[in-house]
């Protein structure tokens, strides 16, 4: 029953729901190598589910090509129906069948496929239930499972026919925070042990960054940045990505000089601070510098000999258990800085912010 996972190639995908209507997916392209885990991350309405449904064959694209391994499953004049694509899917509301037992939920798609004997089906269901640790629940009505168990059942059902590709659409959004954390580790482990090519759709950056080999950030029907999780988080290429993926301080700056090695001198905070940043922007150009709250260090007095230090006034330090969320006013610009929760700075106090230039990004507007 084991089929090899396939790579997924999506090229220039275009989709609108009404002819001549707005394009909700506009030239999306990505490649998922065999056995790899890929996340599409973006806010509500950006076109994630639409992209996924086109890959599954539940929607017909208006343009573009979708390839599964060597086979074109969607393209000009080609539309392979969903049941012929060998794709497993888990939807946001996991849609297990409530009138069936746990066993029947996993067995049903195998029966419909009519490729297996009764014995083979029973063996496969047993194997899948063991994989998601539900073997003791086979005879139970599916509705009498907890949220996390129902989620695992939905996964077992999607994986039972040995699909060549697994599609997951916000599979954890109905679960509480603790269970979500555990399930994301479980899904990732399962994906790695099966080496199944996986496309995972989410608006949750924590899920995308912790689970995926690569992440594509989507905005208004377009992929605006693609890369490994660290790149997406530490090197956002635009305001949108810096803001959507984590928290970022976005500071207006101006390029005041260049040194010929790809570096530029950038004035920020009305010239209070000059940073030597990596940017291709020309002298005189207005830019935005981004710095993550956890990359800013606060000092009670000016640290001697450290570059990138600016004085500010602490407005607020909110205790959040594992850290302090500090807001610091620097000449009317408020910067967020994340500090150890053991520190006890008090509001109104003068503080010195150390902004390491190597951790700053210079962003484009989109
Ligand atoms: N069947 C449909 N008919 C018409 N418009 C649709 C249909 N499905 C989705 N849309 C529209 O297409 C756009 C993209 O929707 P999509 O469901 O792909 O977004 P999404 O990124 O999955 O969002 P969410 O995170 O809320 O699930 C939205 O503006 C949505 O209103
Ligand atoms: Mg969606």
């Amino acid at each position: 029953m084991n089929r090899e996972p396939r790579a997924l190639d999506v090229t220039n995908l275009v989709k609108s729901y009404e002819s001549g209507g707005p394009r909700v997916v506009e030239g999306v392209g990505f490649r998922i190598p065999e056995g790899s885990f890929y996340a599409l991350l973006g806010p509500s309405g950006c076109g994630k589910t639409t992209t996924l449904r086109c890959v599954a064959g539940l929607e017909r694209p208006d343009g573009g090509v979708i390839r599964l391994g060597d086979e074109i499953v969607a393209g000009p004049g080609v539309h392979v129906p969903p049941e012929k694509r060998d794709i497993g899917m888990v939807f946001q509301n996991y849609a297990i069948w409530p009138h069936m037992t746990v066993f029947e939920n996993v067995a049903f798609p195998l029966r419909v496929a009519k490729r297996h004997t009764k014995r083979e089906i029973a063996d496969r269901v047993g194997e899948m239930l063991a994989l998601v640790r539900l073997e003791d629940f086979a005879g139970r009505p599916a509705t009498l499972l907890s949220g996390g168990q129902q989620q695992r059942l939905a996964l077992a059902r999607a994986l039972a026919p040995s699909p060549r590709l697994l599609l997951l659409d916000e599979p954890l959004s109905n679960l509480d925070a603790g269970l979500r954390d555990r399930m994301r580790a479980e899904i990732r482990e399962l994906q790695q042990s099966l080496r199944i090519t996986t496309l995972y759709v989410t608006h949750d950056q924590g899920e995308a960054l912790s689970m995926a080999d690569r992440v594509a950030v989507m905005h208004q029907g377009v992929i605006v940045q693609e890369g490994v999780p660290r790149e997406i988080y530490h090197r956002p290429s635009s305001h949108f990505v810096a803001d959507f993926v984590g928290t970022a301080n976005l500071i207006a700056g101006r390029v005041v000089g260049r040194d010929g090695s790809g570096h530029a001198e950038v004035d920020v905070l009305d010239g209070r601070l000059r940073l030597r940043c990596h940017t291709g922007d020309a002298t005189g150009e207005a830019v935005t510098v981004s710095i993550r709250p956890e990359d800013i260090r606060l000092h009670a007095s000016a640290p001697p000999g450290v570059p990138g230090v600016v004085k500010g006034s602490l407005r607020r330090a909110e205790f959040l258990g594992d850290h302090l969320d500090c807001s610091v006013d620097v000449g009317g610009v408020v910067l967020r800085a994340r500090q150890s929760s053991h520190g006890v700075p008090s509001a109104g106090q003068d503080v010195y912010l150390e902004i390491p230039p190597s951790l700053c990004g210079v962003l484009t507007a989109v």
Side-chain angles (χ1 to χ4, degrees):
M1 237 184 237
N2 284 326
R3 276 191 289 267
E4 287 300 306
R6 295 290 153 90
L8 174 70
D9 265 299
V10 175
T11 315
N12 206 14
L13 188 70
V14 175
K15 173 72 188 169
S16 54
Y17 282 101
E18 307 141 44
S19 73
R23 293 172 158 190
V24 301
V25 174
E26 171 80 81
V28 160
F30 55 90
R31 175 182 165 78
I32 315 180
E34 288 161 28
S36 173
F37 192 124
Y38 196 90
L40 269 185
L41 170 67
S44 183
C46 74
K48 305 181 296 293
T49 296
T50 304
T51 303
L52 205 81
R53 289 175 61 84
C54 288
V55 172
L58 300 169
E59 300 287 349
R60 265 173 192 263
D62 299 314
V65 175
I66 301 173
R67 246 187 224 95
L68 200 47
D70 298 332
E71 185 190 3
I72 293 179
V73 294
V78 181
H79 179 79
V80 175
E83 64 279 9
K84 297 259 166 64
R85 292 192 186 190
D86 275 337
I87 291 176
M89 237 186 128
V90 176
F91 297 92
Q92 180 167 346
N93 51 358
Y94 34 89
I96 52 157
W97 293 304
H99 53 287
M100 293 184 191
T101 62
V102 167
F103 182 96
E104 288 298 320
N105 259 275
V106 182
F108 187 72
L110 299 175
R111 291 212 184 99
V112 171
K114 294 200 171 116
R115 282 190 223 144
H116 317 291
T117 64
K118 215 171 157 182
R119 183 62 209 242
E120 281 170 345
I121 290 174
D123 287 350
R124 181 69 178 167
V125 173
E127 195 185 325
M128 287 296 112
L129 291 182
L131 193 66
V132 298
R133 292 180 290 110
L134 287 176
E135 62 271 49
D136 296 338
F137 298 85
R140 191 180 279 204
T143 45
L144 299 186
L145 296 178
S146 71
Q149 289 166 340
Q150 289 190 27
Q151 190 56 56
R152 296 210 296 269
L153 176 57
L155 260 174
R157 191 179 61 183
L159 291 170
S162 292
R164 299 186 295 181
L165 174 70
L166 181 62
L167 303 178
L168 302 168
D169 191 353
E170 314 240 10
L172 306 183
S173 55
N174 286 345
L175 306 179
D176 68 52
L179 192 53
R180 229 173 13 230
D181 285 355
R182 284 203 298 282
M183 282 300 298
R184 72 184 185 200
E186 284 190 21
I187 291 179
R188 177 63 172 155
E189 278 164 25
L190 201 62
Q191 184 273 334
Q192 290 198 316
S193 68
L194 299 175
R195 300 266 319 139
I196 183 163
T197 314
T198 300
L199 175 56
Y200 189 100
V201 157
T202 182
H203 64 268
D204 183 313
Q205 47 136 341
E207 283 175 21
L209 297 180
S210 67
M211 297 170 86
D213 295 310
R214 292 186 80 81
V215 177
V217 183
M218 252 184 114
H219 180 45
Q220 296 178 343
V222 174
I223 291 180
V224 290
Q225 192 174 354
E226 204 268 9
V228 298
R230 277 168 197 275
E231 231 170 277
I232 297 287
Y233 189 79
H234 288 307
R235 292 271 166 251
S237 62
S238 62
H239 284 202
F240 174 77
V241 176
D243 227 15
F244 184 71
V245 184
T247 311
N249 292 295
L250 300 175
I251 317 169
R254 185 167 297 279
V255 179
V256 291
R258 305 199 56 80
D259 68 1
S261 67
H263 286 85
E265 300 284 332
V266 179
D267 266 355
V268 294
L269 303 166
D270 290 332
R272 279 161 217 262
L273 191 64
R274 179 162 292 185
L275 300 169
R276 189 167 169 269
C277 295
H278 208 81
T279 171
D281 288 286
T283 301
E285 212 141 320
V287 292
T288 300
V289 172
S290 79
I291 178 88
R292 299 283 185 195
E294 67 269 26
D295 292 335
I296 296 182
R297 235 164 284 150
L298 290 189
H299 301 272
S301 53
V306 177
V309 175
V310 64
K311 188 174 173 187
S313 165
L314 186 69
R315 271 207 186 163
R316 196 175 52 84
E318 201 175 343
F319 180 73
L320 291 170
D322 60 344
H323 72 275
L324 286 178
D325 181 10
C326 300
S327 301
V328 182
D329 188 324
V330 182
V333 177
V334 177
L335 300 182
R336 301 261 301 271
R338 187 183 251 248
Q339 301 300 307
S340 152
S341 62
H342 294 292
V344 278
S346 48
Q349 192 181 318
D350 279 350
V351 287
Y352 293 82
L353 294 89
E354 181 187 339
I355 302 180
S358 62
L359 302 182
C360 290
V362 178
L363 305 178
T364 60
V366 181

